[in-house]
Amino acid sequence: MDAYYEVWRPEDWYRHSCVQYSNNEGFPPVPKPPDRARSGAFMYDKENGFHAAGKISRSSVADMRLIFRKNASATRRAIATKQWITAQLRFYGIAFSRSADIDELYDTLAAAVAGRQCIEGGPPFLADVQKRLKSIYDRSWVEYRQAIEEHKIAVDEWHNRNFSKLNDPSAEVRYDIDAFFSKYFLDDKGLPAPDKTPEPIVLWDMNDWVSSLRRHVDATPGLHGKMTPFLVVIAWAQQLERGIDTAFRLIDRPDVKFHHPSLEACFDPDRFLAKYFLDDLRGEPAPEKQKEPLALKLWWDSGSDRGGSRARLIQAAKHLPDLLIQAAEIPAEDKRGNLSEPRTIVGWAKQVILQVEAWKLEIAQAEVDEAKKEKRDKEKAILAKVKPHIDYARAHRSPPTDPFTLSHLAGSYIMHCRQLQDGYRCDLGSMALDIHAPTSTHGAIAAFNFGLVEGTMLLAMSEESLERFREEQPVRESSSDEEESEYEWGYPPGTVKKRKPTSTGSVNKMSFKRRLGESSSKPGRVYLQWAGCETHNSYLVLDEDHERTGYFDLDKTGLTARGQFYYRRMFGKDTPLVFTLLKVADKPKKTPDAWSSYCERERWIHW
């Protein structure tokens, strides 16, 4: 029996059995409720009464007149489906052709209603059909109810057979708690029967059944019990203490896998204290009996007892002033999880204090060891992620003899940025820069993913070249499908917005240098400008003010670089993000989006 259904009415128990056990071996087949009684096109059942196909009942003549009048509402006319019209023709005995379409049937019924051919109540023979079908259906229900009563008896017998096969009282409780009490404690009339089972009964693992057991015990005069989720004793009053003694001794067995002192303390604090800390003869403190403090797991709080296990234990030890009971952390047995575990420590005060301090030192050392291990694991993880760069560098030991150009930059790089990795959990292996071979004398284009943002980057060997390269980037031309939207944005239909190239002398060098944060170009330095989207929400990060800038300096090998870039909206105008680039391949892995795709208007059209 399910423990959550503690009080069953016979009808509920029967329905539950039919649902829960219907597919079990040997369970009696559940009777099926009777189908509707039927005669030709007419049917009868309890829910719909006398009706035709589609559960359509006979409509009154007055209702049909409202449906077929000339100014009938659309709602009324909607009732007149082909199935409804056919049913009403049959209810009123109006002849019609089965091959007729809905319009012909509609006209036939409308004419019959208008010509007063439909008699209220229908033709007399239909009353006889209805009476006969109701009689057949009622007899079927009488037979069905009789079958249900017989099935209930068969189900009880099936349960009794299954119950009789069980030889463990704990299993009997789990299967049918009512049958368990009837077997051991009640007579045939349901009255207490102390002579039926004079010996105490011990039950194991009653977690979900404790409250139900308590209710049954309280309802049986003279019956008593001691109950915890893992161990229960049920006995008649004069035998209860003997049963508790027996159950307490059963805990300390090899087949009980849980920590025995913890179970003993939860089950009976007085007997626990007597076993470990009191003299057997006089019941006085015996410090030599249990010298080492006991670390207990006390988490059971039975609904039938007041307070928690620790509170009951403290109450039982009130007469032992030298016995200390306190919560403490002990070193965890399994270091793969937490380094410490909460316990209730029970022992003589001096030993408990010394032991708790020793455990604190052990836990502290474990934390130091764990920190060192985490550091080693982190270093190993970083080494594994930069291994592609190490392998690439070993295969390209000879540094280039010619000055660095944009062509030397082409390839794939992984990015290392301590600020992003530590503060925003951006993974070292996921941040990358893929630079494509230059298609312009002024610069090259790249795809980047810097953890928080990803998008397109423009690269050049000088500030002026970067400005020119940005102006070279094409703007997406409008199509005929977009002419109307372009006009709304301020561009006449069919026109293309183009940038006019700026002459060398017209570039405001000082203002652009201020945006880049530098006052002059340097050998081996690459200047950058970026635009993209925030990775966590696709929020568009435009570069309308040309302040998404930065640079990086290549080392002499051309395989690594250190630099910085600005993301002023996120980090402020004076806080650059410092990064390192490590080359891993000669070919880029990702193709960048067009620079124009990070224009607000182009994104709006795309979405």
Side-chain angles (χ1 to χ4, degrees):
M1 179 185 289
D2 194 330
Y4 298 104
Y5 296 91
E6 297 176 351
V7 180
W8 289 93
R9 294 182 304 171
E11 197 65 30
D12 295 335
W13 170 234
Y14 169 72
R15 282 196 289 266
H16 171 76
S17 297
C18 291
V19 173
Q20 185 73 19
Y21 303 110
S22 60
N23 294 324
N24 287 32
E25 182 180 356
F27 189 83
V30 180
K32 294 182 179 180
D35 197 2
R36 64 192 68 175
R38 182 164 189 163
S39 176
F42 302 105
M43 288 158 274
Y44 184 92
D45 61 29
K46 185 177 181 180
E47 180 181 359
N48 302 290
F50 188 55
H51 61 279
K55 301 180 180 180
I56 298 174
S57 301
R58 178 171 48 207
S59 295
S60 68
V61 175
D63 287 341
M64 289 195 294
R65 285 173 180 161
L66 294 175
I67 292 172
F68 291 115
R69 68 182 182 181
K70 291 183 178 180
N71 60 345
S73 66
T75 303
R76 291 188 183 277
R77 290 182 178 275
I79 297 174
T81 63
K82 185 176 182 180
Q83 191 176 40
W84 180 86
I85 295 172
T86 303
Q88 302 310 317
L89 290 170
R90 287 188 170 124
F91 278 128
Y92 287 97
I94 307 300
F96 66 93
S97 173
R98 293 187 178 183
S99 61
D101 59 24
I102 186 172
D103 292 331
E104 293 173 331
L105 294 172
Y106 185 94
D107 293 340
T108 300
L109 182 58
V113 172
R116 301 182 182 275
Q117 298 178 33
C118 296
I119 302 173
E120 195 69 63
F125 80 90
L126 276 184
D128 295 334
V129 173
Q130 179 176 349
K131 184 177 180 181
R132 184 174 71 255
L133 291 179
K134 184 178 184 304
S135 177
I136 294 172
Y137 184 77
D138 290 344
R139 284 198 306 271
S140 299
W141 263 95
V142 171
E143 294 171 358
Y144 172 69
R145 282 192 289 267
Q146 180 61 36
I148 289 295
E149 295 303 318
E150 295 173 357
H151 187 253
K152 289 179 180 178
I153 296 173
V155 169
D156 288 340
E157 293 174 349
W158 182 80
H159 278 303
N160 291 336
R161 287 194 300 271
N162 289 341
F163 187 83
S164 65
K165 297 175 184 178
L166 303 173
N167 53 13
D168 174 25
S170 301
E172 291 173 337
V173 170
R174 297 186 194 100
Y175 185 80
D176 190 334
I177 194 170
D178 293 318
F180 165 80
F181 274 85
S182 296
K183 176 179 178 180
Y184 292 100
F185 304 112
L186 304 176
D187 61 17
D188 294 340
K189 297 180 180 180
L191 299 175
D195 296 334
K196 197 172 187 179
T197 308
E199 296 298 319
I201 291 182
V202 178
L203 306 172
W204 289 91
D205 298 328
M206 293 287 105
N207 294 280
D208 296 328
W209 282 266
V210 169
S211 59
S212 187
L213 285 167
R214 171 59 64 189
R215 185 173 284 110
H216 280 75
V217 168
D218 291 343
T220 308
L223 199 61
H224 295 267
K226 183 170 183 61
M227 303 187 186
T228 62
F230 63 92
L231 187 59
V232 170
V233 177
I234 299 177
W236 300 105
Q238 62 272 22
Q239 298 296 330
L240 181 62
E241 289 301 316
R242 189 162 65 87
I244 295 174
D245 286 337
T246 301
F248 188 84
R249 288 193 298 271
L250 290 175
I251 294 175
D252 199 9
R253 297 184 311 180
D255 59 320
V256 178
K257 302 302 182 184
F258 196 77
H259 186 238
H260 293 178
S262 297
L263 294 179
E264 292 167 339
C266 290
F267 181 67
D268 194 304
D270 292 314
R271 286 173 170 80
F272 164 78
L273 293 174
K275 177 178 179 179
Y276 292 100
F277 301 104
L278 300 179
D279 181 89
D280 293 333
L281 297 177
R282 293 170 294 179
E284 295 181 355
E288 299 299 322
K289 195 173 184 180
Q290 177 66 39
K291 297 181 180 180
E292 297 292 329
L294 295 173
L296 308 178
K297 286 184 178 181
L298 304 181
W299 58 65
W300 287 289
D301 289 329
S302 174
S304 61
D305 296 326
R306 291 183 178 180
S309 300
R310 186 186 303 158
R312 294 194 297 272
L313 186 58
I314 292 173
Q315 180 66 28
K318 272 189 173 182
H319 65 291
L320 300 171
D322 294 331
L323 194 69
L324 183 60
I325 302 174
Q326 72 173 64
E329 295 285 324
I330 70 168
E333 295 180 5
D334 186 359
K335 296 297 190 294
R336 292 174 298 179
N338 296 327
L339 298 178
S340 63
E341 298 174 345
R343 292 290 185 271
T344 296
I345 314 303
V346 183
W348 303 109
K350 183 178 179 180
Q351 283 79 12
V352 169
I353 293 171
L354 292 174
Q355 183 63 72
V356 169
E357 288 301 318
W359 281 332
K360 287 181 180 179
L361 294 175
E362 186 176 343
I363 294 171
Q365 184 59 48
E367 290 172 348
V368 172
D369 295 340
E370 181 66 17
K372 290 180 179 179
K373 181 179 179 299
E374 288 181 358
K375 184 178 179 181
R376 290 194 301 270
D377 293 344
K378 190 174 182 179
E379 291 173 350
K380 289 180 181 178
I382 292 174
L383 185 61
K385 290 173 181 177
V386 301
K387 188 176 183 301
H389 169 70
I390 296 174
D391 295 340
Y392 180 85
R394 286 173 179 169
H396 300 77
R397 293 182 181 275
S398 301
T401 56
D402 299 329
F404 288 119
T405 64
L406 291 173
S407 298
H408 288 100
L409 295 177
S412 183
Y413 299 77
I414 56 176
M415 175 190 174
H416 168 69
C417 177
R418 180 61 63 187
Q419 292 160 276
L420 294 178
Q421 289 166 224
D422 294 346
Y424 297 88
R425 297 184 179 181
C426 298
D427 186 60
L428 171 62
S430 66
M431 295 188 291
L433 178 67
D434 292 286
I435 304 175
H436 287 250
T439 57
S440 166
T441 57
H442 295 117
I445 193 168
F448 76 91
N449 184 336
F450 286 176
L452 291 181
V453 289
E454 62 179 345
T456 298
M457 185 177 289
L458 305 180
L459 304 170
M461 300 303 293
S462 70
E463 299 152 333
E464 291 82 358
S465 295
L466 181 60
E467 176 74 1
R468 290 188 175 280
F469 187 50
R470 182 180 61 79
E471 292 181 341
E472 288 178 356
Q473 301 309 305
V475 176
R476 180 176 175 274
E477 296 185 5
S478 62
S479 63
S480 58
D481 294 336
E482 298 165 2
E483 287 184 354
E484 183 177 350
S485 63
E486 284 186 347
Y487 188 74
E488 292 176 358
W489 281 89
Y491 305 115
T495 62
V496 179
K497 184 186 177 187
K498 297 181 179 179
R499 293 190 181 96
K500 295 181 180 181
T502 307
S503 63
T504 305
S506 65
V507 176
N508 189 339
K509 296 181 180 180
M510 290 306 295
S511 64
F512 194 64
K513 290 175 182 178
R514 281 196 297 269
R515 288 197 298 269
L516 292 172
E518 291 296 316
S519 59
S520 62
S521 301
K522 294 184 179 180
R525 173 160 293 184
V526 179
Y527 297 87
L528 64 89
Q529 188 171 353
W530 64 273
C533 291
E534 292 183 351
T535 54
H536 67 286
N537 60 10
S538 298
Y539 180 87
L540 197 63
V541 183
L542 307 176
D543 193 34
E544 294 174 337
D545 53 5
H546 309 311
E547 289 190 347
R548 299 339 183 237
T549 56
Y551 65 85
F552 57 84
D553 296 320
L554 295 165
D555 68 356
K556 62 181 181 180
T557 66
L559 305 182
T560 64
R562 286 182 59 83
Q564 62 184 37
F565 74 97
Y566 286 92
Y567 188 4
R568 291 173 172 84
R569 190 183 72 83
M570 179 72 73
F571 298 97
K573 63 180 182 179
D574 298 323
T575 306
L577 293 171
V578 179
F579 64 89
T580 300
L581 294 176
L582 306 173
K583 194 168 187 177
V584 296
D586 290 324
K587 293 183 178 180
K589 298 177 181 179
K590 186 177 180 180
T591 301
D593 294 328
W595 181 259
S596 62
S597 66
Y598 294 102
C599 157
E600 184 73 53
R601 172 174 168 272
E602 300 301 335
R603 283 279 167 169
W604 180 84
I605 292 173
H606 175 71
W607 288 336

